[in-house]
């Protein structure tokens, strides 16, 4: 199992929590592939400390290149048959890796496995219930992303990595491709806790939404069907709305 984590200007306290959750996994046979996206002495020190407890392989980008390209570097440098994502500052249940691997070992056609998750911000937490079975996931994914990026594990395919064009929604675009090669599943237990960042600007929300729409357009054949196309049209209509909001809020 390869665990891939890209780190950029993290909260050090939360980063330690991320690594602690990896140390506490009941399944131990994994390698943590870390990309420090932009030279950071404090982060390097933390990674070195945890390298005494975990099998860690580190890549350092002298300059920041972004999440998508950093994750691709980690996928390309790893060789394990399964890949798990965990964002810096997030942490996972001690049995997460074992429970997800059990799903793969019991189902040859499973390509992507996520789970329910909790998001935390400013002392508040919200639990997110995601669709479980492949049929429900396929019926919902054309409306919204039904996987928590930091909670997924997927089977390695030689031609499946992140599309470097997508600065945002890179995970959603990749999940749409996974739909074409195998079955998808969400474990109905909370296996990951996400640390949410402060509210984003209208401009950034607009850019994120544009990439979300572009992912749908890239896979337009997969999105065909009256109901799916209706939701795609709604997403397109939202773009000028976000732009108008930005103008008024300047």
């Amino acid at each position: 199992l390869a665990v891939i984590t890209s780190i950029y200007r993290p909260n050090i306290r939360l980063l330690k929590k991320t690594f602690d959750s990896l140390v506490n996994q009941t399944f131990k046979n994994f390698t943590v592939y870390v990309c420090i996206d932009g030279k950071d002495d404090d982060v390097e020190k933390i990674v070195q400390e945890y390298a005494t407890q975990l099998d860690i392989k580190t890549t350092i980008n002298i300059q920041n290149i972004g999440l998508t390209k950093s994750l691709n570097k980690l996928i390309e440098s790893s060789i394990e048959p399964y890949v798990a994502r965990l964002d810096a500052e997030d942490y996972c249940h001690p049995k997460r890796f074992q429970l997800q691997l059990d799903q793969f070992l019991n189902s040859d056609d499973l390509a992507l496995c996520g789970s329910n998750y909790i998001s935390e911000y400013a002392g508040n937490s919200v639990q997110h219930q995601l669709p479980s079975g492949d049929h429900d996931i396929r019926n919902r994914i054309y409306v919204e992303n039904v996987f928590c990026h930091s909670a997924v594990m997927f089977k390695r395919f030689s031609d499946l990595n992140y599309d470097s064009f997508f600065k945002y929604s890179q995970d959603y675009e990749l999940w749409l491709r996974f739909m074409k090669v195998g079955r998808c599943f969400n474990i109905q237990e909370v296996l990951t806790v996400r640390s949410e960042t402060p509210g984003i600007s209208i401009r950034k929300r607009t850019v994120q939404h544009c990439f979300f729409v572009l992912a749908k357009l890239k896979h337009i054949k997969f999105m065909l069907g009256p109901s799916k196309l209706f939701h795609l049209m709604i997403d397109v209509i939202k773009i000028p709305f976000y732009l108008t909001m930005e103008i008024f809020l300047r």
Side-chain angles (χ1 to χ4, degrees):
L1 172 65
V3 181
I4 58 173
T5 301
S6 179
I7 305 174
Y8 177 64
R9 295 181 179 177
N11 176 304
I12 295 298
R13 179 184 64 82
L14 293 175
L15 181 61
K16 289 181 178 181
K17 204 167 184 177
T18 300
F19 282 113
D20 285 338
S21 76
L22 294 174
V23 170
N24 294 327
Q25 288 297 302
T26 58
F27 178 83
K28 301 294 185 182
N29 188 20
F30 62 89
T31 298
V32 185
Y33 292 83
V34 171
C35 182
I36 302 174
D37 191 16
K39 189 164 177 59
D40 188 319
D41 292 340
D42 291 335
V43 171
E44 288 180 47
K45 182 179 179 181
I46 297 298
V47 172
Q48 289 170 0
E49 289 176 2
Y50 280 92
T52 62
Q53 304 175 72
L54 295 164
D55 179 13
I56 299 178
K57 295 184 178 180
T58 307
T59 298
I60 299 175
N61 299 332
I62 301 304
Q63 294 183 332
N64 173 259
I65 64 172
L67 178 62
T68 309
K69 292 179 180 179
S70 295
L71 292 179
N72 278 340
K73 288 179 70 171
L74 296 178
I75 291 174
E76 291 162 7
S77 65
S78 62
I79 59 172
E80 292 80 358
Y82 300 102
V83 178
R85 274 284 288 121
L86 183 62
D87 283 323
E89 302 186 3
D90 297 350
Y91 59 97
C92 48
H93 189 282
K95 292 185 177 180
R96 175 194 161 183
F97 295 161
Q98 186 63 66
L99 290 172
Q100 289 181 307
L101 282 170
D102 286 346
Q103 293 293 328
F104 283 103
L105 296 176
N106 292 326
S107 180
D108 290 338
D109 65 342
L110 185 62
L112 175 65
C113 181
S115 75
N116 291 338
Y117 69 101
I118 288 174
S119 56
E120 289 185 342
Y121 174 64
N124 298 313
S125 62
V126 178
Q127 182 170 331
H128 301 266
Q129 187 86 15
L130 300 174
S132 175
D134 186 73
H135 180 266
D136 290 338
I137 288 171
R138 290 174 187 272
N139 282 340
R140 191 64 190 167
I141 197 165
Y142 62 84
V143 179
E144 61 183 344
N145 192 345
V146 292
F147 289 97
C148 171
H149 196 183
S150 199
V152 299
M153 182 182 293
F154 53 85
K155 187 181 293 184
R156 183 185 298 276
F157 293 90
S158 59
D159 58 344
L160 276 181
N161 53 15
Y162 295 91
D163 186 332
S164 59
F165 170 79
F166 285 83
K167 182 178 180 180
Y168 301 109
S169 294
Q170 64 278 102
D171 56 329
Y172 180 70
E173 191 279 328
L174 181 58
W175 309 155
L176 291 175
R177 280 185 280 143
F178 267 103
M179 294 284 167
K180 302 172 184 178
V181 299
R183 190 172 61 84
C184 301
F185 182 69
N186 272 316
I187 295 173
Q188 293 299 289
E189 296 181 46
V190 173
L191 299 184
T192 296
V193 178
R194 286 187 57 188
S195 299
E196 298 287 354
T197 55
I200 62 174
S201 66
I202 294 293
R203 176 173 297 178
K204 186 174 181 180
R205 185 180 295 116
T206 303
V207 174
Q208 289 178 335
H209 185 76
C210 286
F211 276 103
F212 177 72
V213 173
L214 286 172
K216 290 187 174 187
L217 291 173
K218 179 182 176 182
H219 300 278
I220 189 66
K221 290 183 180 179
F222 179 75
M223 305 303 298
L224 289 177
S227 179
K228 296 179 181 179
L229 288 176
F230 170 76
H231 286 284
L232 178 56
M233 289 173 60
I234 295 297
D235 286 328
V236 171
I237 291 170
K238 286 179 181 178
I239 294 174
F241 169 77
Y242 283 133
L243 293 173
T244 303
M245 287 290 290
E246 180 184 347
I247 293 171
F248 277 105
L249 292 175
R250 280 180 178 176

